[in-house]
């Protein structure tokens, strides 16, 4: 039975927010208030669609956007972790579930030479239209009251596990790595032998700490191990594979 590694992307695989990093491609590296103030809570994807529309209107080329995105730094130890995963594809599967978008993630992983480590990416679809402006759409619609309107990571993870099970693939252990509030929901479908790994000092770690000791919180079924570098995740993965 394989091990499944599930990663968030922003502030997890990469050490920044890809959606805010893209602003660096603008000449003044800032957005006008008319765009900034258009954000509504829980509707980040629609906001990013407007941001990318504005960037396109400033005649920033797709090539310029890509070159800027390829400079985003990886979190410490993450390249080594993903390299290890790519070298052990027979025993480790790896997916990304992210609130970023397809183009950003593909560009960043391809530029680093690490795309082969990731089997599937679940995120918001993005493409350039005929005018050369990037358009970003919601990943899916869902009925979860706890997640942003564009993406419920629990629903994505449960569907992935169900599809794998239908194909005869069962995982002896699942590791979930994330940092943000939207990474809490998928931890509720983890089992007792699974591990949720929140990044130290970020929202997910604090949310899990609040839930600790509460009855029926769901997330407590999985072991919680906080991390600050990919090296620590790699150590846990290696230990699990040897047990």
């Amino acid at each position: 039975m394989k091990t499944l590694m599930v990663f968030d992307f922003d502030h997890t695989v990469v050490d920044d927010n890809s959606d805010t990093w893209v602003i660096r491609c603008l000449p003044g590296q800032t957005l006008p208030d008319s765009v900034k103030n258009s954000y509504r809570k829980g509707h980040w994807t629609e906001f990013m669609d407007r941001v990318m529309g504005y960037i396109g209107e400033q005649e920033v080329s797709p090539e310029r956007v890509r070159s800027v995105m390829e400079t985003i730094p990886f979190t410490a130890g993450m390249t080594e972790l993903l390299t290890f995963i790519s070298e052990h594809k027979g025993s480790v599967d790896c997916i990304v579930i992210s609130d970023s978008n397809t183009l950003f993630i593909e560009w960043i992983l391809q530029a680093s030479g690490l795309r082969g480590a990731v089997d599937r990416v679940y995120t918001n679809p993005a493409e350039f239209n005929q005018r050369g402006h990037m358009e970003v759409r919601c990943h899916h619609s869902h009925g979860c009251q706890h997640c942003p309107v564009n993406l419920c990571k629990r629903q994505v993870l449960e569907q992935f596990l169900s599809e794998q099970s239908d194909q005869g693939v069962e995982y002896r252990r699942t590791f979930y790595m994330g940092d943000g509030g939207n990474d809490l929901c998928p931890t509720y479908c983890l089992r007792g032998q699974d591990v949720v790994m929140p990044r130290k000092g970020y929202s997910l770690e604090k949310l899990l700490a609040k839930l600790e000791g509460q009855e029926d919180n769901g997330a407590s079924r999985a072991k919680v191990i906080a991390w600050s570098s990919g090296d620590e995740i790699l150590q846990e993965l290696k230990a699990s594979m040897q047990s």
Side-chain angles (χ1 to χ4, degrees):
M1 292 174 67
K2 289 186 172 184
T3 298
L4 176 64
M5 304 294 283
V6 185
F7 290 91
D8 171 47
F9 196 72
D10 294 335
H11 290 296
T12 299
V13 174
V14 294
D15 201 20
D16 211 303
N17 184 326
S18 58
D19 283 343
T20 55
W21 189 267
V22 74
I23 307 305
R24 295 166 183 250
C25 73
L26 288 167
Q29 298 193 12
T30 186
L31 294 170
D33 290 341
S34 59
V35 178
K36 287 180 185 176
N37 298 335
S38 69
Y39 170 67
R40 290 187 300 135
K41 186 176 181 180
H43 294 263
W44 181 261
T45 304
E46 294 99 316
F47 172 69
M48 280 307 301
D49 186 56
R50 291 190 292 275
V51 168
M52 297 313 300
Y54 173 79
I55 288 173
E57 290 167 2
Q58 306 313 300
E59 300 183 351
V60 178
S61 70
E63 292 75 22
R64 169 63 178 161
V65 177
R66 178 169 184 162
S67 66
V68 166
M69 295 311 302
E70 290 176 346
T71 66
I72 194 169
F74 276 72
T75 301
M78 226 18 104
T79 55
E80 292 81 2
L81 171 59
L82 290 173
T83 298
F84 178 87
I85 290 172
S86 67
E87 294 171 347
H88 294 79
K89 296 311 297 179
S91 54
V92 183
D93 285 348
C94 175
I95 65 173
V96 168
I97 309 176
S98 167
D99 211 359
S100 181
N101 67 70
T102 52
L103 287 177
F104 286 0
I105 294 176
E106 290 291 337
W107 288 340
I108 293 165
L109 290 177
Q110 287 175 11
S112 66
L114 296 169
R115 182 61 184 87
V118 181
D119 298 294
R120 297 187 200 174
V121 175
Y122 298 92
T123 187
N124 303 299
E127 61 184 3
F128 285 96
N129 62 25
Q130 293 180 338
R131 294 180 297 165
H133 299 184
M134 185 191 289
E135 297 178 342
V136 187
R137 303 187 307 279
C138 295
H139 174 73
H140 63 184
S141 58
H142 61 84
C144 179
Q145 300 299 310
H146 307 290
C147 292
V149 296
N150 62 293
L151 175 63
C152 171
K153 294 187 177 186
R154 176 176 181 169
Q155 183 174 314
V156 170
L157 180 54
E158 287 180 333
Q159 184 172 341
F160 172 81
L161 292 170
S162 175
E163 291 172 354
Q164 291 294 88
S165 181
D166 289 344
Q167 296 177 22
V169 180
E170 301 289 344
Y171 296 103
R172 60 186 294 267
R173 183 166 291 131
T174 295
F175 288 83
Y176 187 97
M177 282 65 62
D179 71 287
N182 64 350
D183 291 309
L184 180 64
C185 194
T187 68
Y188 286 98
C189 67
L190 298 179
R191 305 158 300 176
Q193 67 265 40
D194 298 330
V195 183
V196 53
M197 300 193 70
R199 189 173 182 183
K200 290 179 182 176
Y202 285 74
S203 299
L204 180 60
E205 182 188 28
K206 297 169 186 174
L207 289 169
L208 290 168
K210 284 183 180 178
L211 290 172
E212 189 176 2
Q214 293 182 16
E215 292 184 8
D216 301 323
N217 67 53
S220 65
R221 287 180 298 179
K223 185 177 181 181
V224 177
I225 304 174
W227 63 277
S228 57
S229 79
D231 297 331
E232 295 165 274
I233 301 171
L234 181 54
Q235 290 174 12
E236 293 296 332
L237 173 58
K238 287 180 176 178
S240 174
M241 292 170 67
Q242 293 169 0
S243 63

